[in-house]
C-alpha cells in the first residue's frame, strides 16, 4: 500500500481540505459583505458632503454682493473641501451656465457627460449613487449627485461628489490583509492539530496490523498498548488484546490437546503392538497367550472408545442446537438413564436415592444430548463412589429452570482440582476408581453440551461428598426467561 493512500494521509487531507474550504467560503462571504458595507458607507459619506457643499454654495449666492466674488469664494471652498476629504466636487452654477469643479483642467479640456440614470434621479429630486467616468476620467469612479437647492430666487446645483476607487477600497483591503493573516494562522494550526490527532488515531491501528501479522506467523505474545485511552480506539485496543488472549489460550489448548491425544493414543497402541509382537515372536508362551490377547482386546476397545469420544466432541462443537431444542420430559429421561445404569450400579454394590417428581417436568433442549449429560454424570459418580455407598439422583424446579443433581460418596476432590474436572483428558486420581478405562472426556462432553444449551454446571466436594448440579430451561417458562 502506498504511504499516501493510508488512513493518516486521507484523514489529514480531508480535515485540512475542510478547514481550507470553510475559510474560503467564510472569506468570500466576509469580503462580499464588508465590501458592500464599505461601499454603502462611502457613498453615504459622499452624499452628506455633497449636500453640505450645495447648502454652503446656496448660502453664499443668496447673500447680496458680487456674483463673481462669490463664485471665487465657492471655488476656494471646493478646493479646501477636496484637500480635506480627498474628494472631487462639481457644482452647477446657473448664473455661469456651467459646472464649477475642483479639477478645472479636466473640466476645461473635456465635456462632462452625465449618465441618463443620473438625470432621471435628479429631475425627480432624488440623489444618485453610481459609478461613471463622466466623460472626464480614464477609469470609472464612484459618483454621488444631489439635486439642486433653491432659496428664494437663487438656485444652486446639482452637486457631484467623486471619489477615486483606491480611496473607496482602502479599508476593504486592510480587512483583506487581516483576514489573510488569520486564515494562514488557522491553516497552520489545523495542519499541526490534524497531524498530531491523526497520528494518535492511526498508530494503534498500525500496531494492531503489526500484531496481526505476528499472529499469522504463530507468535501470539504480541499486544497493543492502549496508553490509558478511554475512547473508541481504546475500546478497540482492549477488544483486540482480549482476542489475542483468547487466541493464545486457544493455541495453548490446541497444543495441549495434541499432546494429550498423542499420549492417550500412544499408550494403548504401544500395549497392543508390544503384546502382539511378543506373541508373534514366541516370547510369550502359549499358556499366557489368552491372558495377553485379553489385554490386547481391552486396549483395542479403550482405543475405540477414545476415538469415538473424540468424534463426539468434534460433532458437538459444530452443532447448532438452537434448531434442535424441543420440549421433552426430563424426569422420564432420567428414569431411563437410571434403568440403563442398573447393572453397573449393582456390580459396584451401590444403592440409589432418587428424588424425581412423578409428574412430567417439561424442559426445552435436545433430548438425546441432555440424556447423555445425565448418563455421563451418573456413570462418573458410580465409578468414583465408595463400595456399598449411596448415589443420589434428583430433579427439582427453581424459578424458570429445572435443576438436576447427581451426588456420590467417596474421596474428597481437592478444591484446586474442581475447576479442572471439565477439561479435556483430565482424570482424577485413578487410585480412587476401580474402573481404569476412563479417557478423560466424559465431563468435558457434559460441559460442551450444556454450553451449547447456554446452561451452567457446578461441582462441589466436601467431606467425601461430591455433588454435580446443572440447569435446564423449563419449556413452559421459556417466554418468561
Amino acid at each position: 500500500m502506498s504511504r499516501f493512500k493510508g488512513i493518516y494521509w486521507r484523514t489529514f487531507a480531508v480535515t485540512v481540505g475542510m478547514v481550507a474550504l470553510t475559510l474560503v467560503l467564510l472569506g468570500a462571504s466576509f469580503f462580499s459583505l464588508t465590501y458592500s458595507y464599505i461601499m454603502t458607507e462611502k457613498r453615504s459619506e459622499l452624499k452628506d458632503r455633497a449636500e453640505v457643499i450645495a447648502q454652503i454654495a446656496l448660502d453664499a449666492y443668496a447673500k447680496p454682493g458680487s456674483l463673481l466674488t462669490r463664485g471665487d469664494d465657492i471655488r476656494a471652498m471646493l478646493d479646501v473641501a477636496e484637500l480635506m476629504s480627498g474628494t472631487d466636487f462639481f457644482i452647477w452654477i446657473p448664473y455661469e451656465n456651467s459646472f464649477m469643479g475642483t479639477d478645472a483642467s479636466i473640466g476645461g479640456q473635456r465635456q462632462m457627460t452625465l449618465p441618463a440614470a443620473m438625470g432621471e434621479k435628479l429631475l425627480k429630486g432624488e440623489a444618485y449613487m453610481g459609478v461613471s467616468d463622466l466623460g472626464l476620467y480614464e477609469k470609472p469612479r464612484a459618483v454621488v449627485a444631489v439635486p439642486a437647492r433653491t432659496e428664494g430666487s437663487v438656485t444652486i446645483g446639482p452637486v457631484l461628489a467623486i471619489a477615486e476607487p483606491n480611496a473607496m477600497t482602502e479599508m476593504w483591503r486592510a480587512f483583506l490583509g487581516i483576514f489573510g493573516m488569520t486564515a494562514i494562522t488557522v491553516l497552520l494550526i489545523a495542519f499541526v492539530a490534524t497531524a498530531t490527532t491523526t497520528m494518535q488515531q492511526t498508530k494503534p491501528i498500525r500496531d494492531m496490523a503489526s500484531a496481526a501479522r505476528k499472529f499469522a506467523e504463530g507468535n501470539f505474545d504480541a499486544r497493543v498498548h492502549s496508553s490509558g485511552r478511554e475512547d473508541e480506539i481504546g475500546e478497540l485496543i482492549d477488544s483486540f488484546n482480549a482476542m489475542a488472549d483468547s487466541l493464545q489460550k486457544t493455541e495453548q489448548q490446541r497444543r495441549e490437546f495434541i499432546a494429550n491425544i498423542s499420549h492417550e493414543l500412544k499408550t494403548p497402541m504401544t500395549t497392543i503392538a508390544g503384546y502382539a509382537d511378543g506373541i508373534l515372536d514366541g516370547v510369550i508362551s502359549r499358556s499366557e497367550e489368552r491372558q495377553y490377547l485379553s489385554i490386547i482386546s481391552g486396549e483395542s476397545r479403550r482405543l475405540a472408545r477414545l476415538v469415538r469420544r473424540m468424534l463426539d466432541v468434534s460433532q458437538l462443537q459444530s452443532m447448532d442446537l438452537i434448531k434442535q431444542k424441543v420440549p421433552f420430559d426430563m424426569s422420564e429421561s432420567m428414569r431411563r438413564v437410571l434403568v440403563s445404569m442398573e447393572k453397573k450400579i449393582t456390580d459396584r454394590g451401590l444403592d440409589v436415592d432418587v428424588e424425581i417428581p412423578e409428574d412430567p417436568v417439561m424442559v426445552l433442549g435436545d433430548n438425546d444430548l441432555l440424556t447423555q449429560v445425565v448418563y455421563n454424570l451418573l456413570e462418573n459418580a458410580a465409578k468414583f463412589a465408595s463400595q456399598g455407598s449411596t448415589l443420589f439422583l434428583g430433579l427439582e424446579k427453581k424459578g424458570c429452570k429445572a435443576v438436576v443433581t447427581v451426588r456420590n460418596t467417596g474421596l474428597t476432590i481437592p478444591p484446586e482440582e474442581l475447576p479442572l474436572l471439565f477439561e479435556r483428558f483430565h482424570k482424577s486420581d485413578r487410585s480412587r476408581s476401580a474402573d481404569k478405562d476412563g479417557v478423560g472426556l466424559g465431563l468435558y462432553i457434559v460441559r460442551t453440551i450444556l454450553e451449547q444449551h447456554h446452561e451452567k454446571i457446578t461441582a462441589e466436594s466436601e467431606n467425601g461428598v461430591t455433588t454435580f448440579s446443572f440447569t435446564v430451561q423449563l419449556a413452559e417458562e421459556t417466554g418468561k426467561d
Side-chain angles (χ1 to χ4, degrees):
M1 182 182 69
S2 172
R3 178 189 177 106
F4 296 100
K5 292 182 180 180
I7 294 178
Y8 174 85
W9 288 106
R10 288 203 299 269
T11 305
F12 181 84
V14 169
T15 304
V16 173
M18 289 298 295
V19 172
L21 179 61
T22 302
L23 289 174
V24 170
L25 295 176
L26 182 62
S29 302
F30 176 77
F31 296 153
S32 176
L33 291 174
T34 55
Y35 184 79
S36 176
Y37 173 78
I38 292 171
M39 290 296 290
T40 301
E41 288 295 312
K42 191 66 176 178
R43 288 171 177 173
S44 178
E45 180 183 345
L46 290 176
K47 178 184 175 184
D48 292 340
R49 291 174 181 175
E51 289 177 344
V52 170
I53 294 297
Q55 187 62 47
I56 293 174
L58 180 62
D59 292 343
Y61 273 94
K63 293 178 181 179
S66 172
L67 292 178
L68 180 60
T69 302
R70 292 167 194 156
D72 293 338
D73 291 341
I74 293 299
R75 188 180 299 279
M77 181 267 295
L78 292 178
D79 290 339
V80 171
E82 187 274 337
L83 182 62
M84 294 179 65
S85 64
T87 304
D88 288 335
F89 294 98
F90 287 89
I91 184 171
W92 178 258
I93 305 297
Y95 299 101
E96 299 182 5
N97 197 29
S98 66
F99 273 101
M100 180 186 297
T102 55
D103 198 338
S105 60
I106 294 178
Q109 293 176 359
R110 301 179 185 178
Q111 182 67 34
M112 180 180 290
T113 303
L114 300 181
M118 180 188 294
E120 294 175 1
K121 286 278 189 180
L122 294 176
L123 289 176
K124 294 178 181 180
E126 299 176 358
Y128 167 82
M129 297 181 184
V131 177
S132 175
D133 60 6
L134 300 175
L136 304 176
Y137 304 100
E138 295 181 356
K139 296 181 179 180
R141 299 190 179 191
V143 178
V144 174
V146 296
R149 289 176 178 268
T150 301
E151 186 173 328
S153 60
V154 179
T155 299
I156 293 296
V159 178
L160 279 64
I162 304 166
E164 294 185 8
N166 290 340
M168 293 288 288
T169 59
E170 183 176 352
M171 185 181 296
W172 183 77
R173 289 179 178 177
F175 284 153
L176 178 62
I178 294 173
F179 186 86
M181 291 299 298
T182 304
I184 293 173
T185 303
V186 170
L187 281 175
L188 289 176
I189 294 174
F191 290 158
V192 175
T194 302
T196 304
T197 304
T198 307
M199 181 67 70
Q200 292 177 348
Q201 300 295 331
T202 57
K203 184 179 183 301
I205 298 177
R206 290 197 301 269
D207 292 343
M208 283 187 279
S210 176
R213 286 191 290 269
K214 292 180 181 179
F215 293 164
E217 296 171 358
N219 178 11
F220 294 94
D221 295 328
R223 296 294 184 273
V224 179
H225 299 290
S226 63
S227 302
R229 299 182 64 146
E230 297 181 357
D231 55 5
E232 290 81 356
I233 295 294
E235 184 178 351
L236 176 61
I237 292 172
D238 293 339
S239 299
F240 182 87
N241 288 335
M243 180 196 68
D245 293 338
S246 178
L247 288 174
Q248 189 174 40
K249 183 178 180 180
T250 301
E251 176 64 14
Q252 183 178 357
Q253 291 176 342
R254 183 186 69 83
R255 292 177 181 177
E256 291 177 355
F257 176 78
I258 293 175
N260 290 334
I261 197 66
S262 298
H263 173 75
E264 294 294 335
L265 290 174
K266 181 176 66 176
T267 301
M269 292 175 66
T270 301
T271 301
I272 292 171
Y275 288 143
D277 290 341
I279 293 173
L280 292 175
D281 295 341
V283 176
I284 298 175
S285 63
R286 297 187 66 84
S287 60
E288 297 176 326
E289 283 185 3
R290 185 174 183 81
Q291 175 187 351
Y292 288 105
L293 285 174
S294 177
I295 295 174
I296 291 174
S297 177
E299 290 297 310
S300 298
R301 285 194 295 272
R302 190 163 78 89
L303 183 60
R305 286 196 301 273
L306 175 61
V307 173
R308 187 170 59 253
R309 286 295 180 91
M310 290 172 55
L311 291 175
D312 290 343
V313 170
S314 177
Q315 183 179 11
L316 285 172
Q317 292 175 335
S318 62
M319 276 186 175
D320 182 7
L321 294 182
I322 301 299
K323 299 178 180 179
Q324 302 182 40
K325 285 186 176 182
V326 294
F328 69 94
D329 185 2
M330 191 69 189
S331 57
E332 178 63 25
S333 298
M334 292 175 65
R335 292 190 187 96
R336 288 201 305 268
V337 171
L338 194 58
V339 171
S340 67
M341 287 285 298
E342 182 178 2
K343 184 176 185 305
K344 289 186 178 182
I345 293 173
T346 302
D347 291 345
R348 293 278 294 147
L350 303 173
D351 292 329
V352 180
D353 181 12
V354 179
E355 292 185 6
I356 299 176
E358 293 294 334
D359 297 330
V361 178
M362 302 303 294
V363 298
L364 187 66
D366 187 287
N367 191 353
D368 293 337
L369 293 179
L370 290 177
T371 300
Q372 181 69 42
V373 169
V374 178
Y375 184 91
N376 285 7
L377 290 176
L378 193 59
E379 182 184 41
N380 187 76
K383 182 191 304 182
F384 289 96
S386 299
Q387 192 79 20
S389 62
T390 300
L391 297 178
F392 173 82
L393 180 64
L395 173 64
E396 62 177 331
K397 293 182 180 180
K398 286 187 178 181
C400 61
K401 299 285 187 179
V403 180
V404 179
T405 303
V406 178
R407 183 186 304 122
N408 74 339
T409 302
L411 296 180
T412 302
I413 301 175
E416 65 274 9
E417 191 176 337
L418 285 175
L420 306 176
L421 292 177
F422 301 99
E423 297 296 328
R424 286 178 294 193
F425 299 110
H426 177 78
K427 298 181 184 179
S428 298
D429 187 358
R430 287 178 180 266
S431 64
R432 293 183 288 164
S433 172
D435 186 356
K436 308 293 193 278
D437 296 331
V439 296
L441 285 174
L443 293 181
Y444 175 75
I445 291 176
V446 166
R447 188 188 69 177
T448 302
I449 292 174
L450 292 176
E451 285 180 348
Q452 293 279 41
H453 282 79
H454 303 291
E455 302 291 349
K456 295 181 180 180
I457 184 169
T458 59
E460 299 177 354
S461 185
E462 188 175 357
N463 299 324
V465 179
T466 301
T467 305
F468 290 90
S469 298
F470 69 89
T471 59
V472 185
Q473 178 70 52
L474 289 171
E476 63 269 21
E477 300 291 340
T478 301
K480 303 178 182 180
D481 187 23

